[in-house]
Amino acid sequence: MQADCGARRTDDVKRMALVIVLMVVGISLMLWAGWHNLRERKLAMQRAQENKMVLVPEQGGATVSPGEGDGPKMTGKAAPGFTLVSLDGKKVSLSDYKGRPVLVNFWATWCGPCKVEMPWFEELRKQYAGQGLEILGLADDVDAGKEAITKVATRAGVTYPILLTDGKVQTAYGGLDVLPMSFYVDKNGVVVVQTAGLGTKDDIEANIKKTIASGGAPSEPKKMQMSSVPSLSGEGKTAMKTVGTGAL
């Protein structure tokens, strides 16, 4: 009897051990499945975001998004004003740069082409600083977090202001169908060039030069000039004439 009882106890222990093992395996499989599904969802979201940035080459080598054939939405219009918070917590407004050429660039941490052109922006900003150029980088994916945005900007060597978008500024600029998207604003606050997608460094520099040149130099005040003009009788007579620069 004792031997039979001992054998039964041994079998019970084995069964319990087997059940525990099966439970552990089952829980492990469930955890793995959950992790795998989460990973797949993240990858799907990333692919969806990347699909948002579909680029096709133009004849000139620049890149634009499909559907942009109807022409730029903002070119020739006044750039919408905005006030946003920078990574260091300061409020920055577009109006702060009134009278200066400004490149407003929308980008995101997941956008590969954005990261390519950011060092170009930094270099060209320094090159044309003497002509008043400023670049404002507006991070589209604020939900990525300040730390992630700062990390990307630091890696790119960016020192120009990086601003956190509020969801409204994107709409004001016609919506962002493609990233990167840039708006070249002249000293009068007018959008001279709007670009979508990644162009070349030479394209960017050409757009900057065009923006700097846009708006013209301030007109000089009219001057009062003394000149001698003949009278109807043919005698010389001193008269006051209002003339502009380069005219009589």
Side-chain angles (χ1 to χ4, degrees):
M1 290 290 294
Q2 290 181 352
D4 291 339
C5 289
R8 288 197 203 98
R9 288 175 183 171
T10 301
D11 291 339
D12 290 340
V13 171
K14 288 181 179 180
R15 278 194 291 270
M16 288 180 64
L18 180 60
V19 169
I20 292 171
V21 169
L22 291 174
M23 287 177 63
V24 170
V25 171
I27 292 171
S28 299
L29 288 173
M30 289 175 62
L31 292 173
W32 180 85
W35 174 84
H36 182 72
N37 289 336
L38 179 62
R39 180 172 175 272
E40 287 299 315
R41 282 198 297 269
K42 286 184 177 180
L43 289 174
M45 288 176 64
Q46 184 177 354
R47 284 193 292 268
Q49 288 178 320
E50 290 174 348
N51 288 337
K52 180 181 177 183
M53 183 186 55
V54 181
L55 307 177
V56 293
E58 259 187 348
Q59 290 182 351
T63 54
V64 296
S65 66
E68 293 290 320
D70 295 335
K73 300 176 183 177
M74 296 297 301
T75 301
K77 299 179 181 179
F82 55 79
T83 299
L84 301 170
V85 178
S86 65
L87 288 176
D88 55 4
K90 296 179 181 178
K91 288 186 177 181
V92 177
S93 300
L94 181 61
S95 60
D96 295 339
Y97 304 95
K98 185 177 180 181
R100 296 172 58 184
V102 182
L103 197 172
V104 178
N105 171 250
F106 288 90
W107 67 284
T109 58
W110 50 263
C111 171
C114 299
K115 299 173 187 177
V116 172
E117 66 182 8
M118 288 170 78
W120 297 344
F121 288 151
E122 178 67 21
E123 182 180 339
L124 292 168
R125 179 199 184 213
K126 293 176 181 176
Q127 184 176 339
Y128 292 94
Q131 298 180 58
L133 177 68
E134 183 55 284
I135 297 175
L136 302 177
L138 277 60
D140 181 50
D141 57 338
V142 177
D143 55 345
K146 246 181 171 182
E147 186 177 346
I149 294 171
T150 302
K151 188 175 182 180
V152 172
T154 301
R155 283 183 176 177
V158 165
T159 61
Y160 55 79
I162 298 294
L163 311 181
L164 305 175
T165 55
D166 55 5
K168 298 177 183 178
V169 65
Q170 292 95 321
T171 302
Y173 278 78
L176 304 181
D177 298 325
V178 177
L179 286 180
M181 187 170 286
S182 296
F183 299 84
Y184 296 77
V185 183
D186 71 10
K187 64 191 75 173
N188 296 321
V190 176
V191 177
V192 177
V193 181
Q194 173 182 345
T195 64
L198 177 66
T200 66
K201 183 180 177 182
D202 289 341
D203 292 333
I204 295 171
E205 184 172 11
N207 290 333
I208 288 174
K209 288 181 178 179
K210 183 177 180 180
T211 304
I212 291 173
S214 178
S219 59
E220 293 184 14
K222 292 182 177 181
K223 302 175 182 178
M224 298 299 293
Q225 178 175 310
M226 298 289 295
S227 64
S228 296
V229 294
S231 65
L232 292 176
S233 62
E235 297 177 358
K237 184 178 180 181
T238 300
M240 296 288 290
K241 294 182 67 180
T242 301
V243 297
T245 303
L248 293 177

